[in-house]
Amino acid sequence: MATYILRRMLLMIPTFIGITFICFAVMRFVPGGPVEQAIMQYKAAMMGGGGGEVASGGSSNSTGEVSAEMVEELKRIYGFDKPFHIAYLDWFFKVIQFDLGESYSYQRPVWDVISSRFPVSMFFGGIGFVLSYLVCVPLGVMKATKHGQGFDWASSILVFIGYSIPGWAAGIVLLVIFGGGSYYNVFPLGGMQSMNYHDLDFWGKVGDKFHHAVLPVFCYMMGSFATTTVLMKNSLMENLGQDYVRTAFAKGLSEKKAIFKHALRNSLIPLATGLGHFFSFLLAGSYLIEKVFDIHGMGLLSFESLISRDYPVTLGILVISSILALIGNLLSDLIYAMVDPRIRFK
Amino acid sequence: MTDADLLIILVVLSLHDGLRLGAQRLFYNILQNGPELLWNGLVFLVRSPLLLPDFYRAVVGYFQSPIFKRRADKFRSLKRGYYSFLMITGLYVLSFFLPLLVTDVAWYVRYEGQSYFPVVRSFAGYYLGNVINFKSSYFESDFGLEGDAPVKYRSLKRNFEEQKSNNKVVLAPYPYSPNESNLDEYEARPPHKPDRTHWFGTDDRGRDVFARMLYGFQISMTFALIVTFLSYLIGVSVGGYLGYYGGMFDIVVQRIVEIWSAIPFLFAVMIVVSIVKTNHMMVLLIFLLAAFGWMGMTYYIRGEFLREKAKDYVAAAISIGVKDTTIIFRHILPNALTPVISFMPFAIVGNISALVSLDFLGFGLPVPTPSWGELLNQGREYLKSYWLVFAPLGGLFTTLMLVSFIGEAVREAFDPKQYSRLR
């Protein structure tokens, strides 16, 4: 098993290099990259009478033309003065030491900025993930055991609704209905906590957090509700049709025992593999849900970094979420191999 | 960790049996197959635009096969999916006549004894305006008004009615265009509540929400269909080559596919959209979504090809010296298109959602294109204006629901696996 993990880890290295290469190349070769953006911003600022924010000082004449020195200065700041491969290698060796550069808009190291958002995304993503399994697994089992009956049919409507409305869009509807817009004023509009959070006692704080978390967590759940429930149901249905379950019934086991002791254990395998993507689900958050509810997590950070053209942060998030996806793949395979003895490590 | 530690670890690792053998095999393979590998890649790149007729023939061949006919009959017998299919096809075809049905341009104007059909010109202008140059709208001076702006037919109609002359205006069934501001009809500030003239109210610039919702349907569907088509084109050809050639080519390209799929696709699209400035945003978005969306199909097509490759008809074709490309596209592909058909509805659902998400975040189609995502974004801002949320969501929900009904039925008809359905 150790050999298997080691081999998989080693295979991740070339993939990781490939990912960083593509991320870096995208930022560097897409026309209108950071340097041109900065020049344009500078020009606009000069035209507009010198207002506006410019990424760097530097010399320029008053007609709004950007001098050659200024362009050089900008290129140096953004690392464009070096040839591509050297710039890439420089950046790559910094990345593997967790040095992702310095954020333009926060004036702090990118790693600090990103990791300060981890707990927020983790809070919502984690609760949503756990709850969605807690709801979907029993529901899927119920649907499979009552296949074709009224309950199955009625819950299928829910599944189709969940599949046809993206979680974040449902979030806006929930805000309209419960956020005090048009109908009821039950839940806050967004954010993590109330203005008077620090004056509350312990239970007040817990209640306040909970109050703010209900709607976003519901949206996180809704995102995976349909697929997880159906996966559970179909996987159990498939196992219920197998010979070993028929044998279990034939030797006189009760339905409960046959389903829960025999069939259910095997049908949980496809769901277990989904656990591998837990981390990317936790950390990467959802740009959309975090934007709808104004939650300052990783998703909103990546959105804001694009708006404010904070390229080091954008690149950092791109690299981190790609790596998380890779680790997720590895974890899925490992969990799969652990829960299913038929799979050998090879 | 010091450098010496690292060195020891590396030595231990490189001495490890499995690893050493693996590395050896890798190097041998590269040495042996490297030139062929490069050659195949080059051939593929050069030929890819020339493959369209082959694709066409493969799809026609698939549609004519008896197995497809049997499955299509089965699909037709699944009423819910079949009627959803008819409904969405009908709605989509109908949506091409939107510039005729939902527009501020009048159908018929009778002025000083002469007849005009302004909507014909505007309809032609909507689709051909960029291609050929012609007078796509009438101007105020044409109908005896002062000024030379395009005619506002609703006020022209009021004018004619006040004059009580023989002049006449017949408006379209729903006489509002998606990009036209109706601020002059209201005293309050937009967005305005739904009323008898504007069925779903107006948005933050006084534009008619009902019209924008309908045009949004046409744009979303067109967009999703094109993206799905393009990404399947890439996915099917890459998957076909991988499955057919196998070996080192397969291993290397699969690694590339893995790298490509590890990149978070929505974020990557957002990055490129935020940087690139272009006048053809729709083309860029289609290209980007196809470029990040083709990987899923390669796995299925690769599997199909691995299975088909072992069959006798392929061996027969090889033995009489048929070219590889011909075998791939003319012989195997018509037999390997089942995953394409059975995943297509779900890919369309995914692409519509992706477009709506991008529009919502502001990285989608340029303003003032009518779009559901943009309306939802306005709804998030004006929470008191519930119609800004419910109208686009209703459209999105209905469309996705119908398409996933189709998907379910297609899967039931085309997938022999019994319990793989959303039921």
Side-chain angles (χ1 to χ4, degrees):
Chain A
M1 173 142 170
T3 333
Y4 176 77
I5 297 176
L6 194 69
R7 215 170 58 109
R8 286 293 305 259
M9 300 276 258
L10 287 175
L11 264 177
M12 270 168 66
I13 293 172
T15 321
F16 172 68
I17 295 175
I19 287 173
T20 54
F21 187 81
I22 289 181
C23 294
F24 191 77
V26 164
M27 299 297 278
R28 185 143 173 141
F29 286 125
V30 164
V35 173
E36 278 154 67
Q37 296 286 354
I39 292 173
M40 262 167 48
Q41 233 173 28
Y42 189 78
K43 274 187 182 167
M46 292 308 289
M47 298 294 203
E53 280 179 41
V54 183
S56 100
S59 60
S60 136
N61 51 28
S62 55
T63 55
E65 287 295 309
V66 183
S67 69
E69 302 155 43
M70 164 101 186
V71 174
E72 284 309 309
E73 173 75 8
L74 279 173
K75 280 191 172 173
R76 195 186 58 73
I77 289 174
Y78 289 93
F80 275 61
D81 53 340
K82 295 170 209 144
F84 176 76
H85 59 281
I86 298 192
Y88 170 69
L89 285 178
D90 275 0
W91 176 76
F92 180 76
F93 282 111
K94 277 188 184 158
V95 166
I96 51 178
Q97 294 163 34
F98 291 99
D99 176 8
L100 293 163
E102 182 137 326
S103 158
Y104 301 153
S105 38
Y106 294 91
Q107 311 291 338
R108 277 196 298 154
V110 172
W111 176 250
D112 289 0
V113 175
I114 296 177
S115 55
S116 72
R117 301 292 186 100
F118 282 164
V120 180
S121 289
M122 205 105 97
F123 176 72
F124 286 100
I127 296 181
F129 194 84
V130 172
L131 277 183
S132 75
Y133 268 68
L134 282 182
V135 171
C136 295
V137 171
L139 184 65
V141 173
M142 288 269 276
K143 277 173 75 68
T145 50
K146 299 190 183 210
H147 176 65
Q149 296 174 19
F151 176 80
D152 185 30
W153 187 81
S155 56
S156 282
I157 296 177
L158 277 185
V159 168
F160 265 112
I161 291 176
Y163 190 76
S164 307
I165 300 183
W168 59 271
I172 305 179
V173 176
L174 290 175
L175 279 184
V176 168
I177 297 176
F178 297 113
S182 310
Y183 301 99
Y184 307 101
N185 192 357
V186 186
F187 292 109
L189 278 181
M192 283 285 285
Q193 53 206 29
S194 307
M195 302 281 266
N196 61 345
Y197 180 75
H198 294 287
D199 305 332
L200 295 170
D201 59 347
F202 175 73
W203 288 110
K205 281 182 180 175
V206 171
D208 190 53
K209 277 254 160 140
F210 179 75
H211 194 210
H212 281 81
V214 172
L215 294 185
V217 164
F218 180 82
C219 294
Y220 273 105
M221 273 175 65
M222 191 158 168
S224 55
F225 170 74
T227 39
T228 316
T229 307
V230 171
L231 187 66
M232 184 63 232
K233 183 197 168 185
N234 290 333
S235 146
L236 186 55
M237 291 287 287
E238 215 172 331
N239 274 295
L240 285 179
Q242 301 274 326
D243 286 340
Y244 72 88
V245 177
R246 190 180 305 151
T247 315
F249 275 115
K251 73 171 183 180
L253 280 190
S254 67
E255 194 180 332
K256 226 180 200 169
K257 264 195 175 163
I259 291 175
F260 287 97
K261 277 219 148 163
H262 295 260
L264 183 61
R265 292 174 68 155
N266 285 321
S267 54
L268 282 173
I269 290 171
L271 272 104
T273 54
L275 287 172
H277 292 287
F278 189 58
F279 279 104
S280 41
F281 194 85
L282 279 188
L283 291 183
S286 160
Y287 322 106
L288 296 147
I289 295 177
E290 290 191 359
K291 176 152 191 282
V292 168
F293 290 101
D294 195 31
I295 298 166
H296 289 256
M298 282 250 305
L300 198 64
L301 177 70
S302 51
F303 177 74
E304 282 166 348
S305 76
L306 276 178
I307 298 281
S308 61
R309 309 210 171 280
D310 196 344
Y311 291 102
V313 173
T314 309
L315 201 52
I317 292 176
L318 195 59
V319 170
I320 289 178
S321 27
S322 311
I323 295 171
L324 283 175
L326 272 189
I327 296 177
N329 282 342
L330 173 66
L331 279 182
S332 295
D333 287 359
L334 285 182
I335 294 176
Y336 193 38
M338 264 192 285
V339 294
D340 191 347
R342 288 168 295 184
I343 306 288
R344 293 240 195 93
F345 294 106
K346 48 174 190 217
Chain B
M1 189 187 290
T2 63
D3 289 356
D5 293 348
L6 205 66
L7 196 69
I8 292 167
I9 292 175
L10 279 178
V11 169
V12 171
L13 287 186
S14 62
L15 283 179
H16 191 278
D17 258 5
L19 280 176
R20 207 187 57 211
L21 278 176
Q24 272 178 3
R25 214 168 340 151
L26 199 75
F27 283 123
Y28 276 133
N29 260 316
I30 289 176
L31 283 179
Q32 267 181 344
N33 300 328
E36 194 197 329
L37 188 76
L38 271 178
W39 179 243
N40 282 338
L42 275 178
V43 167
F44 175 66
L45 275 181
V46 172
R47 282 211 185 140
S48 47
L50 301 174
L51 293 175
L52 277 175
D54 291 314
F55 268 106
Y56 176 72
R57 248 171 300 176
V59 172
V60 170
Y62 179 67
F63 283 165
Q64 283 167 347
S65 67
I67 194 160
F68 176 81
K69 286 203 173 120
R70 208 168 58 232
R71 286 165 172 174
D73 285 341
K74 168 94 173 137
F75 174 70
R76 248 178 252 124
S77 74
L78 299 165
K79 292 292 174 231
R80 189 174 71 183
Y82 183 54
Y83 288 136
S84 301
F85 177 71
L86 292 184
M87 213 150 117
I88 206 128
T89 318
L91 283 175
Y92 185 55
V93 170
L94 203 65
S95 77
F96 278 93
F97 297 96
L98 276 176
L100 212 57
L101 300 170
V102 179
T103 175
D104 63 325
V105 181
W107 277 12
Y108 173 73
V109 176
R110 190 175 178 80
Y111 176 67
E112 312 266 289
Q114 266 198 304
S115 294
Y116 301 87
F117 297 92
V119 78
V120 177
R121 282 180 185 276
S122 74
F123 183 66
Y126 185 84
Y127 289 108
L128 302 172
N130 296 330
V131 189
I132 36 176
N133 207 0
F134 62 98
K135 185 181 173 186
S136 61
S137 58
Y138 287 101
F139 298 100
E140 284 167 332
S141 50
D142 291 332
F143 297 124
L145 297 170
E146 279 173 28
D148 20 87
V151 185
K152 287 178 178 136
Y153 290 94
R154 293 191 305 272
S155 60
L156 187 72
K157 182 174 177 156
R158 272 197 301 276
N159 268 1
F160 284 174
E161 276 162 7
E162 279 163 19
Q163 287 169 5
K164 304 227 188 299
S165 57
N166 259 347
N167 298 337
K168 213 177 137 189
V169 173
V170 178
L171 293 173
Y174 193 82
Y176 297 96
S177 285
N179 290 338
E180 156 206 40
S181 171
N182 303 299
L183 286 177
D184 47 343
E185 293 174 25
Y186 296 93
E187 281 177 8
R189 302 207 309 158
H192 306 106
K193 272 196 168 145
D195 53 32
R196 263 186 49 215
T197 48
H198 298 283
W199 294 354
F200 290 170
T202 69
D203 72 354
D204 66 343
R205 275 165 220 174
R207 296 173 298 197
D208 187 273
V209 171
F210 183 64
R212 289 184 77 74
M213 193 193 101
L214 293 181
Y215 278 78
F217 170 74
Q218 192 212 8
I219 289 167
S220 309
M221 278 300 284
T222 311
F223 182 87
L225 285 173
I226 298 177
V227 171
T228 310
F229 175 76
L230 276 185
S231 51
Y232 277 10
L233 209 63
I234 307 174
V236 167
S237 23
V238 172
Y241 276 94
L242 289 185
Y244 185 76
Y245 287 112
M248 204 52 209
F249 178 64
D250 187 26
I251 292 173
V252 171
V253 176
Q254 282 225 66
R255 282 281 89 71
I256 297 174
V257 170
E258 192 189 338
I259 293 173
W260 205 237
S261 15
I263 295 174
F265 110 95
L266 209 55
F267 191 44
V269 172
M270 277 157 65
I271 291 175
V272 179
V273 169
S274 76
I275 297 178
V276 177
K277 295 275 166 291
T278 164
N279 292 328
H280 304 283
M281 212 51 178
M282 180 119 178
V283 179
L284 177 74
L285 275 177
I286 287 174
F287 169 77
L288 282 175
L289 258 74
F292 283 100
W294 56 271
M295 288 84 71
M297 196 30 66
T298 51
Y299 299 115
Y300 298 105
I301 294 290
R302 179 176 164 273
E304 292 281 314
F305 266 70
L306 283 176
R307 197 164 47 84
E308 291 292 322
K309 200 174 85 173
K311 291 193 176 164
D312 286 345
Y313 70 91
V314 179
I318 294 174
S319 68
I320 58 170
V322 183
K323 274 187 302 182
D324 283 352
T325 324
T326 318
I327 297 180
I328 291 174
F329 287 98
R330 196 161 311 161
H331 295 262
I332 305 184
L333 194 56
N335 295 313
L337 280 175
T338 301
V340 171
I341 301 282
S342 52
F343 283 98
M344 191 176 272
F346 300 100
I348 291 175
V349 168
N351 286 328
I352 292 179
S353 319
L355 177 68
V356 174
S357 313
L358 284 169
D359 278 341
F360 172 74
L361 293 171
F363 293 99
L365 300 170
V367 283
T369 317
S371 93
W372 292 338
E374 194 236 339
L375 276 173
L376 281 170
N377 193 19
Q378 287 187 23
R380 172 70 184 89
E381 248 163 71
Y382 299 88
L383 279 179
K384 292 206 185 312
S385 314
Y386 56 89
W387 58 94
L388 289 178
V389 175
F390 287 125
L393 199 79
L396 182 67
F397 176 64
T398 317
T399 313
L400 296 193
M401 184 88 126
L402 288 178
V403 179
S404 47
F405 280 157
I406 301 172
E408 281 319 299
V410 165
R411 209 182 267 185
E412 193 169 339
F414 283 74
D415 189 355
K417 214 175 146 201
Q418 208 182 348
Y419 299 114
S420 57
R421 300 190 289 276
L422 269 182
R423 282 200 304 175

